[in-house]
Amino acid sequence: ALIDRALRVSRKLGRSHALPELQTVRAYLLSKTGNLHEGSEAADDAIEAALIYGYPDVVPLAQAARVRLLQLTHGPDEVASELKQLESLPLPSVRWWRTAVQSAIWDARNYLGEPVTLPDPSQRLDPMSATRMAAAVLAAITADNLEAARRYVDHARAAACELDLPSQSGMAALAATVLAHAEDHPAVAANYAAEASQHFEQAHMPVLAGRAHLYSAQLAAGDADFHTATRHIAQALSRFRETGANALHGEAIALRRKLAGQQAAATGVSLTRRERQVAEMAARGLTNKQIASELFVSPRTVEDHVGRAIRKLGVPNRAAIASQLGRS
């Protein structure tokens, strides 16, 4: 709201020199709070305003925001294309702008699976330390350097403790989740993932909250707790859908399909795709009418699917579907 007000005042008073910076800040804020489509538009507006009014330093900063947004909304090809464009631009002269651009380039390369230089965890703390260290944990694990990953997690925790910001506490917990999973401590990882989702919800950051739920789903699936995994996938899908995080939404859909296959293999039961979908929704407590409304079919069709799922799963009634899927 404050940024929008500043933009209105700048336009009204003819302070055009402030527009590129304000639009860039708006793009970053919108991306953090899950308004990804508006964030992309704000980044485009920032680049256009910077070129019109002659502020070349703002262009790479806004382009960096675009690269970050594309990692959530599109795929690797689009990210690689925008990253190439970003790397062709001169770095900003302002130190913290330059740091922000370099960090975006590093994150994008890490996202694309390209080799990156692991950062020095002894850098002085700043409001983004935990976020940077969380990204470094994934890079260190990819490089099979668990010792470095542990140092990054410790640094992220220290930064989060000192800053006392929900967003950074969430990033520290997410970093600890990734490390615990890599070290094969699923119960510990699950606790950290739950902690991360709570922090991100408190910070009003739905995309990252969805990521934490996705980690929780992966951990539950690995433990064959399909009921819990399904619940977390539904939470993740809800947040990705409402924010337009299409790339992450695709990951969640892929995990849900994989989970359905694991369930079928575990039970030896061959449910059709629709039967599985209806059974999972019934297991979550939805009525036939609610399921029909969500799937755009008739309640009678839903009733038929539920009946067949009950027979195939070998359970006595609808209420037992959840327990059977949970044991599968």
Side-chain angles (χ1 to χ4, degrees), residues 190-212:
N191 288 335
Y192 279 127
E195 179 186 335
S197 64
Q198 291 172 359
H199 285 305
F200 289 135
E201 295 288 3
Q202 183 183 355
H204 304 289
M205 301 173 78
V207 174
L208 287 171
R211 269 184 163 164

Side-chain angles (χ1 to χ4, degrees), residues 99-115:
T99 300
V101 172
Q102 290 171 328
S103 178
I105 291 173
W106 189 92
D107 284 345
R109 287 177 177 169
N110 191 31
Y111 166 80
L112 293 170
E114 298 178 2

Side-chain angles (χ1 to χ4, degrees), residues 230 256 260 271-284 291 294-295 305 325:
T230 299
R256 187 172 68 179
L271 296 181
T272 67
R273 182 187 63 81
R274 182 63 91 186
E275 288 168 355
R276 174 70 59 183
Q277 188 177 24
V278 170
E280 289 173 353
M281 295 172 78
R284 299 203 311 267
I291 297 172
E294 187 164 334
L295 298 181
H305 285 309
L325 291 178

Side-chain angles (χ1 to χ4, degrees), residues 278 301-312 318 321:
V278 170
T301 298
V302 172
E303 184 178 352
D304 290 342
H305 285 309
V306 171
R308 285 195 293 272
I310 287 174
R311 290 192 296 274
K312 289 184 178 182
R318 180 194 191 95
I321 291 177

Side-chain angles (χ1 to χ4, degrees), residues 26 75 90 108 152 157 171 232 248 255 316:
R26 186 169 183 267
Y152 295 139
R157 285 173 174 167
M171 293 306 301
H232 281 295
L248 293 173
L255 179 59

